[in-house]
């Protein structure tokens, strides 16, 4: 993805950020900061919605069904931990097989720093 900003766009954003007054030249050392702010505004919003919760999970000898559809991954022959909460959300914990696992650490949010 190629993004371009005009000098006018960058100057207007610098004024909005309070880095310069309207009509003043933008110092070169602040240009990257302004462009970074503009890119941040265009970045997709972080999804803060709650994850989907299955309506029904059925564990049976010939497989697992999640909302009526066969669970698409192979489950290890390990104990399955089921915790039923009649007044809230129940949980199912199981072991899945994988040839590769990648863990990506998210960046800390600004308010957490």
């Amino acid at each position: 993805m190629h993004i371009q900003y005009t000098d006018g766009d960058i100057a207007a954003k610098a004024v909005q950020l309070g880095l310069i007054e309207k009509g003043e030249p933008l110092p070169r050392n602040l240009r990257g900061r302004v462009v970074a702010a503009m890119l941040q505004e265009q970045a997709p919003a972080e999804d803060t919605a709650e994850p989907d919760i299955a309506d029904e999970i059925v564990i049976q000898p010939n497989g697992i069904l999640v909302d009526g559809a066969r669970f698409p991954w192979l489950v290890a022959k390990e104990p399955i931990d089921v915790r039923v909460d009649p007044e809230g959300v129940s949980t199912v914990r199981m072991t899945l097989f994988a040839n590769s696992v990648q863990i990506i650490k998210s960046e800390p949010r600004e308010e957490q720093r």
Side-chain angles (χ1 to χ4, degrees):
M1 181 168 85
H2 184 70
I3 299 175
Q4 286 185 323
Y5 299 110
T6 66
D7 289 338
D9 292 339
I10 295 170
K13 185 63 178 176
V15 170
Q16 180 186 3
L17 292 172
L19 298 174
I20 60 172
E21 295 292 323
K22 189 172 183 173
E24 288 182 357
L26 178 64
R28 292 187 66 120
N29 65 327
L30 295 179
R31 186 176 177 88
R33 185 174 168 187
V34 174
V35 171
M38 295 170 81
L39 286 170
Q40 183 68 33
E41 286 179 349
Q42 288 186 331
E46 190 174 303
D47 187 12
T48 58
E50 290 294 319
D52 290 339
I53 296 177
D55 288 324
E56 178 183 59
I57 296 175
V58 178
I59 301 170
Q60 53 193 12
N62 61 347
I64 298 172
L65 300 177
V66 178
D67 292 338
R70 181 166 293 285
F71 191 68
W73 298 287
L74 186 60
V75 177
K77 291 187 178 185
E78 297 288 329
I80 295 176
D81 179 33
V82 179
R83 295 180 188 219
V84 178
D85 182 357
E87 297 178 16
V89 176
S90 299
T91 62
V92 176
R93 188 183 324 191
M94 62 188 88
T95 302
L96 303 178
F97 290 111
N99 289 323
S100 174
V101 175
Q102 182 179 14
I103 299 171
I104 300 173
K105 183 178 177 185
S106 63
E107 293 293 321
R109 293 188 178 169
E110 193 62 37
E111 63 270 8
Q112 292 177 346
R113 290 185 186 168

